[in-house]
Amino acid sequence: MSYVALGMLASLAAFFIYNEFKSYASSKNQDQSNEKLLKTNRLLTQLYDAENLSKLALQTKKPQDLKSYAQKVDSITQFIDSLKPLAQKNYSSQSSKLDSVQELLSQKVFNNAELRKLKVRNENNTSLDSVLKALHAMEVDMGRITPETFAPNFDKLSPEAKESIRKSVAILNKNIPNTDGNSDANNIDSILEVSKAILNKAITETATAERTVLQKELEIYRTDLELSQKLRDILSDFEQEMAQNTYLDALQQEEALKKSTRLAGGAVILGLIIVIVFTFMISKDYWKVQEYRERLERAKKYSESLLKSREQLISTVSHDLRTPLNTISGYSDLIGQSGLNSEQSNYIKKIRSSSDYVEKLVNDLLDFSKLEAGKIQLDKVPFLLSQLIEDTAIDFEEMQSKKRVSLQLEIVEDLKNPIINDPFRIRQILSNIIGNAFKFTDEGHIKVSATVVEKSKCKWAKIEVEDTGIGIPAEKQEAIFQEFTQAGTSTQKKRVGYGLGLTISKKLTELLGGTLRLSSKMNKGSIFTVEIPIEFSNIEIKEDVSKTPILKPDELSILVIDDDQNILGLISEVCKLNDVKTTTFTNFDDFQISKLHGFDAIITDIEMPTIDGFSILEQANSTGYTNPVIAMTGQQIGNKSEYLDAGFTDVLQKPFSAKNLLKALSFVSNTHSNQDIPDTISSMFTIRNISAFLDSFESVKEVLQVFLDNSIKNMELLFATIANQDYTDIRAISHKMLPMFRQLEVHDAIQLLEVLENISDDVEGEKVFEVLSQLRIELNKLDVEIQKYLAKHPIDID
């Protein structure tokens, strides 16, 4: 709001100040005055031109010059008409003066025309004077006296003097005697007198005309003077008007400047007030925000501590539950082998069922906790999705064999090709969905279909699980994906569950980048649809249809270390039944490490109060102990590589069955029974891990040769895939190569293969090529060492 208010204030102030500035910068009056002054100057120039034309017309007395003068005056008249609108805007007297100028110009044109006529006529009168002079000469020749002979300056005399001289000359001429007596003299004299009279009359008229010319010239001069005065008045008016307009503009500009200054000052003061007020309000809000932030941070820390405490609680409780569960399931197996009647067998079966239920709950709680904390890591490995779907569905069909429910499988051929994804998490998702389908379906069928669809130019696996069970109400279909939530109808009260399976399935599906949807109708059934993105692999995967036989250990002696007496007792009983000698300790510190080499294997718990299993492994290795070391843990095992890479032979997750324990011990039995196969002295590899599965050195040689051949082929594939920048196949091939390298403990090559297994798509090809080149060098060294080992131990052929 403060920014809005300041913005509006600034806009308004800028608007008003801009208008005042325009008013300040305006020079309209000055422009008009300048225009009038310029036009007046042009008028004077044109008048001077007209005056020159007038003089020229009077001098030349030509009609065309007079016509040019008249046209010039007409153009001046029109120019004055264009000047009148400017004069009428402020002063009407200026307009009247311009009218009078036009009248004077018209009068001057008329006077010039009249004057020209008189001058032309006056020129004609000069011939009269010559005629009169000739008559005077004739009179002189005839002996007559003339006024000019009587008074040489007759023309310069006054009219009265001239008249008296004429009378005197006339008297004298009458008294002159006639010497010739010729009668014609009188006649000639009379003719001369008449002619002179006519000529004198004409001369008198000419004089009158000259006086008229002088009068016209005086009128023209007066007109010019009046024109000049009018023009001076007009110029004076214009100058006065300009001075007045300049003064008014100055006053207007000064007023606009003062007003703009007041506006700017007012805007600044108002802006400061707004800034102060809103600064106070913002500061107040800021401190509130800070207070709320601190509260939120405290609440966030408290929530995080609660979540961490919950995670630790679930982890601790789950770990602590696994040990008694292991004891319960283990002793249940022992009791089941002790020859029970049918009723007792039923009791043991219920104990095992409850134990399995609690174990699944513990696993789901751990998974849910890890999902909430974002600690679940996905494995991208090649596998057969069709085989995984079939195995998962068939397992549940065997478990629910007493129900009248048929299982239908529809899997497209495309999914029988290997794909790259996380098989463990996909199995977990399908186990929850298919398990629910069997749980809530009493009769009918359960149909599992899998197809490949394309979305956004990517391949997706679409898996639908359809059942003919009780269905889910529409208002509960969203809620069932929330933790610890079930549909909750009366018909479902008899169903067993804790409401975490679908929650975990949905979160895992989203973690895989897919979706999980539900469509259901009451009493008709439900359809769960899982869609996850997949990537097909070119690596061939053979289905493992064989079952690994569990060999019965033969006179083995093992060391068992665990802080739980019940677990020690259980393992001792299982081993006793299978002729395995056991020595147990709850505290490794009580054991004399010098006696360690007297045992064929060590089984140790990972988490114990005083020492952990990794420390025991480290101490055993430090003494040169090379026999198998098997780990036990109550934590959920996502990937065994953490334990195998540390040096453990195998790892058992509590609760484990006697079958799993014996399977681990059968590996030890094989190792124990093949002590005649010599181990290698090379630092690059060892055969002690693979010799446990083989019965002769010939078998070892065959395995090593196959290993070398496959490694060479895989190296060729790796270099071929880098040319195509297909990092997916590089990861898959590296993952496939790693187990055998780990069995042979080729540590340098293992590190390089782990880099390739986890390589990202944005790594440069040169970097990958460098790693592959190092791997090839290591493989060549390994080939040399293996050939040396095989050469030292030839096979006897009898």
Side-chain angles (χ1 to χ4, degrees), residues 223-246:
T223 302
D224 289 341
L225 290 174
E226 191 173 353
L227 273 174
S228 300
Q229 184 62 39
K230 293 290 183 182
L231 290 174
R232 280 194 297 270
D233 291 343
I234 291 172
L235 286 174
S236 177
D237 290 343
F238 284 172
E239 290 174 354
Q240 183 180 359
E241 182 185 352
M242 286 179 64
Q244 185 177 358
N245 289 338
T246 303

PDB file of all heavy atoms in Angstrom, residues 223-246:
ATOM      1  N   THR A 223      -0.445  62.508 -48.083  1.00  0.00           N
ATOM      2  CA  THR A 223      -0.847  61.088 -47.967  1.00  0.00           C
ATOM      3  C   THR A 223       0.322  60.234 -47.498  1.00  0.00           C
ATOM      4  O   THR A 223       0.177  59.352 -46.637  1.00  0.00           O
ATOM      5  CB  THR A 223      -1.358  60.573 -49.316  1.00  0.00           C
ATOM      6  OG1 THR A 223      -2.461  61.384 -49.748  1.00  0.00           O
ATOM      7  CG2 THR A 223      -1.822  59.126 -49.192  1.00  0.00           C
ATOM      8  N   ASP A 224       1.522  60.526 -48.073  1.00  0.00           N
ATOM      9  CA  ASP A 224       2.698  59.753 -47.625  1.00  0.00           C
ATOM     10  C   ASP A 224       2.989  59.991 -46.158  1.00  0.00           C
ATOM     11  O   ASP A 224       3.313  59.054 -45.409  1.00  0.00           O
ATOM     12  CB  ASP A 224       3.913  60.141 -48.462  1.00  0.00           C
ATOM     13  CG  ASP A 224       3.816  59.627 -49.903  1.00  0.00           C
ATOM     14  OD1 ASP A 224       3.008  58.679 -50.110  1.00  0.00           O
ATOM     15  OD2 ASP A 224       4.541  60.137 -50.766  1.00  0.00           O
ATOM     16  N   LEU A 225       2.861  61.283 -45.754  1.00  0.00           N
ATOM     17  CA  LEU A 225       3.086  61.584 -44.333  1.00  0.00           C
ATOM     18  C   LEU A 225       2.070  60.865 -43.441  1.00  0.00           C
ATOM     19  O   LEU A 225       2.402  60.299 -42.389  1.00  0.00           O
ATOM     20  CB  LEU A 225       3.018  63.104 -44.103  1.00  0.00           C
ATOM     21  CG  LEU A 225       4.173  63.927 -44.672  1.00  0.00           C
ATOM     22  CD1 LEU A 225       3.901  65.431 -44.502  1.00  0.00           C
ATOM     23  CD2 LEU A 225       5.473  63.546 -43.967  1.00  0.00           C
ATOM     24  N   GLU A 226       0.836  60.891 -43.913  1.00  0.00           N
ATOM     25  CA  GLU A 226      -0.212  60.222 -43.115  1.00  0.00           C
ATOM     26  C   GLU A 226       0.012  58.715 -43.077  1.00  0.00           C
ATOM     27  O   GLU A 226      -0.186  58.078 -42.038  1.00  0.00           O
ATOM     28  CB  GLU A 226      -1.574  60.559 -43.715  1.00  0.00           C
ATOM     29  CG  GLU A 226      -2.731  60.140 -42.795  1.00  0.00           C
ATOM     30  CD  GLU A 226      -4.072  60.625 -43.321  1.00  0.00           C
ATOM     31  OE1 GLU A 226      -4.112  61.393 -44.324  1.00  0.00           O
ATOM     32  OE2 GLU A 226      -5.099  60.235 -42.735  1.00  0.00           O
ATOM     33  N   LEU A 227       0.431  58.181 -44.252  1.00  0.00           N
ATOM     34  CA  LEU A 227       0.745  56.741 -44.265  1.00  0.00           C
ATOM     35  C   LEU A 227       1.883  56.420 -43.298  1.00  0.00           C
ATOM     36  O   LEU A 227       1.801  55.450 -42.521  1.00  0.00           O
ATOM     37  CB  LEU A 227       1.146  56.308 -45.682  1.00  0.00           C
ATOM     38  CG  LEU A 227       0.030  55.896 -46.635  1.00  0.00           C
ATOM     39  CD1 LEU A 227       0.613  55.658 -48.027  1.00  0.00           C
ATOM     40  CD2 LEU A 227      -0.686  54.654 -46.143  1.00  0.00           C
ATOM     41  N   SER A 228       2.902  57.241 -43.350  1.00  0.00           N
ATOM     42  CA  SER A 228       4.037  57.002 -42.447  1.00  0.00           C
ATOM     43  C   SER A 228       3.595  57.090 -40.992  1.00  0.00           C
ATOM     44  O   SER A 228       3.981  56.275 -40.147  1.00  0.00           O
ATOM     45  CB  SER A 228       5.156  58.009 -42.726  1.00  0.00           C
ATOM     46  OG  SER A 228       5.611  57.883 -44.049  1.00  0.00           O
ATOM     47  N   GLN A 229       2.747  58.098 -40.698  1.00  0.00           N
ATOM     48  CA  GLN A 229       2.271  58.240 -39.310  1.00  0.00           C
ATOM     49  C   GLN A 229       1.436  57.037 -38.884  1.00  0.00           C
ATOM     50  O   GLN A 229       1.564  56.527 -37.762  1.00  0.00           O
ATOM     51  CB  GLN A 229       1.446  59.539 -39.193  1.00  0.00           C
ATOM     52  CG  GLN A 229       0.970  59.842 -37.777  1.00  0.00           C
ATOM     53  CD  GLN A 229       2.129  60.047 -36.827  1.00  0.00           C
ATOM     54  OE1 GLN A 229       3.152  60.653 -37.195  1.00  0.00           O
ATOM     55  NE2 GLN A 229       2.007  59.554 -35.610  1.00  0.00           N
ATOM     56  N   LYS A 230       0.539  56.613 -39.813  1.00  0.00           N
ATOM     57  CA  LYS A 230      -0.289  55.431 -39.487  1.00  0.00           C
ATOM     58  C   LYS A 230       0.593  54.205 -39.222  1.00  0.00           C
ATOM     59  O   LYS A 230       0.348  53.437 -38.279  1.00  0.00           O
ATOM     60  CB  LYS A 230      -1.250  55.134 -40.650  1.00  0.00           C
ATOM     61  CG  LYS A 230      -2.309  56.200 -40.864  1.00  0.00           C
ATOM     62  CD  LYS A 230      -3.343  56.218 -39.745  1.00  0.00           C
ATOM     63  CE  LYS A 230      -4.439  57.246 -40.039  1.00  0.00           C
ATOM     64  NZ  LYS A 230      -5.424  57.301 -38.936  1.00  0.00           N
ATOM     65  N   LEU A 231       1.589  54.042 -40.087  1.00  0.00           N
ATOM     66  CA  LEU A 231       2.463  52.881 -39.906  1.00  0.00           C
ATOM     67  C   LEU A 231       3.252  52.976 -38.606  1.00  0.00           C
ATOM     68  O   LEU A 231       3.450  51.971 -37.915  1.00  0.00           O
ATOM     69  CB  LEU A 231       3.418  52.755 -41.099  1.00  0.00           C
ATOM     70  CG  LEU A 231       2.765  52.329 -42.421  1.00  0.00           C
ATOM     71  CD1 LEU A 231       3.784  52.385 -43.550  1.00  0.00           C
ATOM     72  CD2 LEU A 231       2.184  50.921 -42.314  1.00  0.00           C
ATOM     73  N   ARG A 232       3.705  54.248 -38.291  1.00  0.00           N
ATOM     74  CA  ARG A 232       4.409  54.406 -37.018  1.00  0.00           C
ATOM     75  C   ARG A 232       3.493  54.090 -35.841  1.00  0.00           C
ATOM     76  O   ARG A 232       3.894  53.463 -34.851  1.00  0.00           O
ATOM     77  CB  ARG A 232       4.959  55.829 -36.914  1.00  0.00           C
ATOM     78  CG  ARG A 232       6.237  56.035 -37.686  1.00  0.00           C
ATOM     79  CD  ARG A 232       6.907  57.346 -37.277  1.00  0.00           C
ATOM     80  NE  ARG A 232       6.081  58.508 -37.584  1.00  0.00           N
ATOM     81  CZ  ARG A 232       6.125  59.180 -38.743  1.00  0.00           C
ATOM     82  NH1 ARG A 232       6.960  58.791 -39.687  1.00  0.00           N
ATOM     83  NH2 ARG A 232       5.371  60.230 -38.943  1.00  0.00           N
ATOM     84  N   ASP A 233       2.225  54.525 -35.961  1.00  0.00           N
ATOM     85  CA  ASP A 233       1.256  54.215 -34.883  1.00  0.00           C
ATOM     86  C   ASP A 233       1.052  52.705 -34.745  1.00  0.00           C
ATOM     87  O   ASP A 233       0.988  52.168 -33.631  1.00  0.00           O
ATOM     88  CB  ASP A 233      -0.080  54.896 -35.186  1.00  0.00           C
ATOM     89  CG  ASP A 233       0.009  56.423 -35.069  1.00  0.00           C
ATOM     90  OD1 ASP A 233       0.989  56.888 -34.444  1.00  0.00           O
ATOM     91  OD2 ASP A 233      -0.875  57.096 -35.601  1.00  0.00           O
ATOM     92  N   ILE A 234       0.926  52.062 -35.920  1.00  0.00           N
ATOM     93  CA  ILE A 234       0.730  50.598 -35.882  1.00  0.00           C
ATOM     94  C   ILE A 234       1.939  49.914 -35.264  1.00  0.00           C
ATOM     95  O   ILE A 234       1.815  49.030 -34.400  1.00  0.00           O
ATOM     96  CB  ILE A 234       0.446  50.060 -37.296  1.00  0.00           C
ATOM     97  CG1 ILE A 234      -0.927  50.542 -37.785  1.00  0.00           C
ATOM     98  CG2 ILE A 234       0.489  48.522 -37.301  1.00  0.00           C
ATOM     99  CD1 ILE A 234      -1.196  50.219 -39.240  1.00  0.00           C
ATOM    100  N   LEU A 235       3.136  50.337 -35.693  1.00  0.00           N
ATOM    101  CA  LEU A 235       4.342  49.745 -35.111  1.00  0.00           C
ATOM    102  C   LEU A 235       4.430  50.023 -33.622  1.00  0.00           C
ATOM    103  O   LEU A 235       4.808  49.160 -32.831  1.00  0.00           O
ATOM    104  CB  LEU A 235       5.586  50.291 -35.823  1.00  0.00           C
ATOM    105  CG  LEU A 235       5.856  49.749 -37.220  1.00  0.00           C
ATOM    106  CD1 LEU A 235       7.029  50.500 -37.856  1.00  0.00           C
ATOM    107  CD2 LEU A 235       6.155  48.256 -37.159  1.00  0.00           C
ATOM    108  N   SER A 236       4.066  51.222 -33.235  1.00  0.00           N
ATOM    109  CA  SER A 236       4.071  51.564 -31.800  1.00  0.00           C
ATOM    110  C   SER A 236       3.081  50.682 -31.029  1.00  0.00           C
ATOM    111  O   SER A 236       3.383  50.185 -29.941  1.00  0.00           O
ATOM    112  CB  SER A 236       3.735  53.034 -31.625  1.00  0.00           C
ATOM    113  OG  SER A 236       3.672  53.366 -30.251  1.00  0.00           O
ATOM    114  N   ASP A 237       1.891  50.508 -31.637  1.00  0.00           N
ATOM    115  CA  ASP A 237       0.900  49.630 -30.983  1.00  0.00           C
ATOM    116  C   ASP A 237       1.434  48.203 -30.859  1.00  0.00           C
ATOM    117  O   ASP A 237       1.261  47.542 -29.829  1.00  0.00           O
ATOM    118  CB  ASP A 237      -0.405  49.635 -31.775  1.00  0.00           C
ATOM    119  CG  ASP A 237      -1.139  50.974 -31.665  1.00  0.00           C
ATOM    120  OD1 ASP A 237      -0.802  51.746 -30.735  1.00  0.00           O
ATOM    121  OD2 ASP A 237      -2.021  51.230 -32.501  1.00  0.00           O
ATOM    122  N   PHE A 238       2.049  47.751 -31.949  1.00  0.00           N
ATOM    123  CA  PHE A 238       2.581  46.383 -31.910  1.00  0.00           C
ATOM    124  C   PHE A 238       3.677  46.248 -30.850  1.00  0.00           C
ATOM    125  O   PHE A 238       3.720  45.268 -30.100  1.00  0.00           O
ATOM    126  CB  PHE A 238       3.133  45.993 -33.278  1.00  0.00           C
ATOM    127  CG  PHE A 238       2.070  45.658 -34.293  1.00  0.00           C
ATOM    128  CD1 PHE A 238       2.386  45.449 -35.632  1.00  0.00           C
ATOM    129  CD2 PHE A 238       0.721  45.564 -33.914  1.00  0.00           C
ATOM    130  CE1 PHE A 238       1.404  45.142 -36.555  1.00  0.00           C
ATOM    131  CE2 PHE A 238      -0.249  45.271 -34.848  1.00  0.00           C
ATOM    132  CZ  PHE A 238       0.084  45.057 -36.165  1.00  0.00           C
ATOM    133  N   GLU A 239       4.567  47.260 -30.783  1.00  0.00           N
ATOM    134  CA  GLU A 239       5.624  47.214 -29.780  1.00  0.00           C
ATOM    135  C   GLU A 239       5.044  47.259 -28.372  1.00  0.00           C
ATOM    136  O   GLU A 239       5.491  46.545 -27.466  1.00  0.00           O
ATOM    137  CB  GLU A 239       6.595  48.377 -30.006  1.00  0.00           C
ATOM    138  CG  GLU A 239       7.445  48.221 -31.258  1.00  0.00           C
ATOM    139  CD  GLU A 239       8.290  49.451 -31.530  1.00  0.00           C
ATOM    140  OE1 GLU A 239       8.118  50.449 -30.796  1.00  0.00           O
ATOM    141  OE2 GLU A 239       9.107  49.422 -32.473  1.00  0.00           O
ATOM    142  N   GLN A 240       4.040  48.095 -28.214  1.00  0.00           N
ATOM    143  CA  GLN A 240       3.380  48.165 -26.893  1.00  0.00           C
ATOM    144  C   GLN A 240       2.709  46.838 -26.552  1.00  0.00           C
ATOM    145  O   GLN A 240       2.783  46.343 -25.420  1.00  0.00           O
ATOM    146  CB  GLN A 240       2.359  49.307 -26.902  1.00  0.00           C
ATOM    147  CG  GLN A 240       1.667  49.513 -25.542  1.00  0.00           C
ATOM    148  CD  GLN A 240       0.662  50.653 -25.590  1.00  0.00           C
ATOM    149  OE1 GLN A 240       0.491  51.296 -26.628  1.00  0.00           O
ATOM    150  NE2 GLN A 240       0.033  50.915 -24.476  1.00  0.00           N
ATOM    151  N   GLU A 241       2.074  46.271 -27.580  1.00  0.00           N
ATOM    152  CA  GLU A 241       1.420  44.969 -27.363  1.00  0.00           C
ATOM    153  C   GLU A 241       2.449  43.887 -27.011  1.00  0.00           C
ATOM    154  O   GLU A 241       2.242  43.063 -26.125  1.00  0.00           O
ATOM    155  CB  GLU A 241       0.653  44.571 -28.612  1.00  0.00           C
ATOM    156  CG  GLU A 241      -0.106  43.245 -28.464  1.00  0.00           C
ATOM    157  CD  GLU A 241      -0.766  42.821 -29.764  1.00  0.00           C
ATOM    158  OE1 GLU A 241      -0.777  43.603 -30.729  1.00  0.00           O
ATOM    159  OE2 GLU A 241      -1.269  41.679 -29.806  1.00  0.00           O
ATOM    160  N   MET A 242       3.584  43.921 -27.738  1.00  0.00           N
ATOM    161  CA  MET A 242       4.630  42.940 -27.444  1.00  0.00           C
ATOM    162  C   MET A 242       5.154  43.104 -26.026  1.00  0.00           C
ATOM    163  O   MET A 242       5.356  42.127 -25.295  1.00  0.00           O
ATOM    164  CB  MET A 242       5.790  43.088 -28.439  1.00  0.00           C
ATOM    165  CG  MET A 242       5.489  42.571 -29.834  1.00  0.00           C
ATOM    166  SD  MET A 242       6.894  42.825 -30.943  1.00  0.00           S
ATOM    167  CE  MET A 242       8.096  41.787 -30.156  1.00  0.00           C
ATOM    168  N   ALA A 243       5.389  44.356 -25.638  1.00  0.00           N
ATOM    169  CA  ALA A 243       5.857  44.591 -24.268  1.00  0.00           C
ATOM    170  C   ALA A 243       4.840  44.115 -23.249  1.00  0.00           C
ATOM    171  O   ALA A 243       5.188  43.466 -22.240  1.00  0.00           O
ATOM    172  CB  ALA A 243       6.159  46.071 -24.077  1.00  0.00           C
ATOM    173  N   GLN A 244       3.572  44.371 -23.525  1.00  0.00           N
ATOM    174  CA  GLN A 244       2.520  43.939 -22.602  1.00  0.00           C
ATOM    175  C   GLN A 244       2.431  42.412 -22.553  1.00  0.00           C
ATOM    176  O   GLN A 244       2.305  41.818 -21.480  1.00  0.00           O
ATOM    177  CB  GLN A 244       1.178  44.541 -23.038  1.00  0.00           C
ATOM    178  CG  GLN A 244       0.023  44.253 -22.057  1.00  0.00           C
ATOM    179  CD  GLN A 244      -1.262  44.930 -22.487  1.00  0.00           C
ATOM    180  OE1 GLN A 244      -1.292  45.645 -23.494  1.00  0.00           O
ATOM    181  NE2 GLN A 244      -2.301  44.729 -21.723  1.00  0.00           N
ATOM    182  N   ASN A 245       2.500  41.810 -23.752  1.00  0.00           N
ATOM    183  CA  ASN A 245       2.445  40.339 -23.775  1.00  0.00           C
ATOM    184  C   ASN A 245       3.645  39.720 -23.077  1.00  0.00           C
ATOM    185  O   ASN A 245       3.524  38.710 -22.375  1.00  0.00           O
ATOM    186  CB  ASN A 245       2.397  39.842 -25.231  1.00  0.00           C
ATOM    187  CG  ASN A 245       1.061  40.135 -25.882  1.00  0.00           C
ATOM    188  OD1 ASN A 245       0.055  40.323 -25.197  1.00  0.00           O
ATOM    189  ND2 ASN A 245       1.045  40.195 -27.208  1.00  0.00           N
ATOM    190  N   THR A 246       4.811  40.327 -23.299  1.00  0.00           N
ATOM    191  CA  THR A 246       6.002  39.829 -22.615  1.00  0.00           C
ATOM    192  C   THR A 246       5.846  39.930 -21.114  1.00  0.00           C
ATOM    193  O   THR A 246       6.196  39.014 -20.362  1.00  0.00           O
ATOM    194  CB  THR A 246       7.232  40.616 -23.079  1.00  0.00           C
ATOM    195  OG1 THR A 246       7.362  40.509 -24.500  1.00  0.00           O
ATOM    196  CG2 THR A 246       8.495  40.087 -22.417  1.00  0.00           C
TER     197      THR A 246
END
